[in-house]
Amino acid sequence: MDFVRTLFGMNNEASKREVVGSPVEFGLQDVGFIQDSNRRLTLLQDLSTRYQGTPHEPKMKTVYEKTENIHSYLVSRKKVHELEMFHLQNTDHFITTFTAILDVHQKFHDLTHASNGTARKLEDSLQESKAAALKRLEKAANLPELVKPVQTSVQFYHDRGAKATVPRLYVPEISINTVEKVSYYTHDKSDQLVAREVGFTSSKIEKEAFQEHICVRMGLKDVSYIGNALLTIPNNNGITPTGVVPVIHWEGCLYAINLNDYRLFPVRIFRAGIK
């Protein structure tokens, strides 16, 4: 590069000269230039240190040594202004360029290392999530049927103009059962299944425990337990059993929960005289 060639050329002349005589006196501006030159030499030395262990290490060391010789030569000849111009035209650009190259290389190395670490953490997290989901599915498959199926009739809506019988879509009306309790299963601290019950007459603590179980199990928020009701409710195996199921209030509506598969079904409470 031009800068290195300049350094090498000037060094040949500088190395052949010796400084003799009394110490040279400098003005304030000259002293400032010399201090700036020393600062640049320090930066070159630090840069050479940072390039240790790289193919550019010998070149960086040579540049520092040649620049130091030029500094000594021009100062001894009281050519401080020429020294400042030399640094402005060569040294500053050299320091800026090779510092930027090293910084970019370091950032790329750090980002690559961080990306690899993040990718490994993400992969580990995904594997843990898959394992946890599989474990939950295995446990769910071993849960007993909480809503026992019985033979029930299906209501149909018959339209005189229709050629086929079409099931009627409706929101069933329910009555809260104040006596019956329903069973559900949670996990204790040792991850063992524990059977619990909840009903209209259960304590506040028991109801709150059931609400928390539903929130965690179904990913819901602000759930309120209302009570239990006798209801014919769809099941995940195609059978439509009739049994006592819990009823909750969520997002302004009432829902019955099939505890076999934890699905929600909208319902409304039957009130005499209200259609």
Side-chain angles (χ1 to χ4, degrees), residues 129-202:
S129 298
K130 290 180 181 179
L134 180 60
K135 189 175 181 180
R136 286 196 299 269
L137 288 175
E138 291 175 348
K139 290 180 179 180
N142 296 325
L143 288 176
E145 289 286 328
L146 300 178
V147 182
K148 304 299 181 180
V150 297
Q151 294 296 329
T152 59
S153 60
V154 181
Q155 298 182 9
F156 292 96
Y157 171 72
H158 300 280
D159 190 343
R160 294 181 181 180
K163 296 182 180 180
T165 302
V166 180
R168 184 177 182 180
L169 182 64
Y170 68 99
V171 177
E173 293 182 341
I174 61 169
S175 297
I176 298 299
N177 188 312
T178 59
V179 178
E180 296 290 340
K181 292 186 176 183
V182 295
S183 299
Y184 66 100
Y185 290 85
T186 61
H187 295 87
D188 59 15
K189 294 182 179 179
S190 59
D191 209 25
Q192 299 296 320
L193 283 176
V194 177
R196 296 183 178 180
E197 290 185 336
V198 66
F200 185 81
T201 58
S202 295

Side-chain angles (χ1 to χ4, degrees), residues 198-212 225:
V198 66
F200 185 81
T201 58
S202 295
S203 66
K204 180 180 179 181
I205 296 178
E206 291 174 328
K207 291 179 180 179
E208 289 178 349
F210 178 71
Q211 290 171 178
E212 182 180 358
Y225 170 70

Side-chain angles (χ1 to χ4, degrees), residues 31 78 91 103 116 155 163 200 230 234:
V31 171
K78 206 173 182 179
T91 311
D103 290 343
N116 292 337
Q155 298 182 9
K163 296 182 180 180
F200 185 81
L230 183 65

Side-chain angles (χ1 to χ4, degrees), residues 173-175 269-275:
E173 293 182 341
I174 61 169
S175 297
I269 295 179
F270 170 77
R271 292 182 175 84
I274 300 179
K275 295 183 179 180

Side-chain angles (χ1 to χ4, degrees), residues 68-256:
E68 187 178 32
N69 289 337
I70 292 171
H71 169 90
S72 299
Y73 172 76
L74 292 177
V75 170
S76 67
R77 294 297 184 270
K78 206 173 182 179
K79 295 181 178 181
V80 181
H81 184 266
E82 286 82 351
L83 176 63
E84 177 67 13
M85 293 301 298
F86 169 78
H87 284 314
L88 290 175
Q89 295 173 2
N90 300 282
T91 311
D92 290 346
H93 176 70
F94 181 88
I95 293 174
T96 302
T97 301
F98 282 89
T99 300
I101 292 173
L102 195 62
D103 290 343
V104 170
H105 175 76
Q106 185 64 41
K107 287 181 180 179
F108 177 78
H109 177 271
D110 294 342
L111 288 174
T112 302
H113 181 73
S115 298
N116 292 337
T118 302
R120 286 195 296 270
K121 290 181 180 179
L122 181 59
E123 181 65 23
D124 293 342
S125 178
L126 289 175
Q127 293 298 333
E128 291 177 0
S129 298
K130 290 180 181 179
L134 180 60
K135 189 175 181 180
R136 286 196 299 269
L137 288 175
E138 291 175 348
K139 290 180 179 180
N142 296 325
L143 288 176
E145 289 286 328
L146 300 178
V147 182
K148 304 299 181 180
V150 297
Q151 294 296 329
T152 59
S153 60
V154 181
Q155 298 182 9
F156 292 96
Y157 171 72
H158 300 280
D159 190 343
R160 294 181 181 180
K163 296 182 180 180
T165 302
V166 180
R168 184 177 182 180
L169 182 64
Y170 68 99
V171 177
E173 293 182 341
I174 61 169
S175 297
I176 298 299
N177 188 312
T178 59
V179 178
E180 296 290 340
K181 292 186 176 183
V182 295
S183 299
Y184 66 100
Y185 290 85
T186 61
H187 295 87
D188 59 15
K189 294 182 179 179
S190 59
D191 209 25
Q192 299 296 320
L193 283 176
V194 177
R196 296 183 178 180
E197 290 185 336
V198 66
F200 185 81
T201 58
S202 295
S203 66
K204 180 180 179 181
I205 296 178
E206 291 174 328
K207 291 179 180 179
E208 289 178 349
F210 178 71
Q211 290 171 178
E212 182 180 358
H213 169 71
I214 293 299
C215 289
V216 173
R217 182 66 173 76
M218 304 184 69
L220 305 179
K221 293 183 179 180
D222 300 326
V223 169
S224 298
Y225 170 70
I226 303 301
N228 302 325
L230 183 65
L231 186 66
T232 299
I233 192 168
N235 211 348
N236 55 1
N237 56 10
I239 301 175
T240 305
T242 297
V244 179
V245 297
V247 178
I248 63 169
H249 182 271
W250 176 62
E251 295 289 337
C253 298
L254 296 177
Y255 296 92

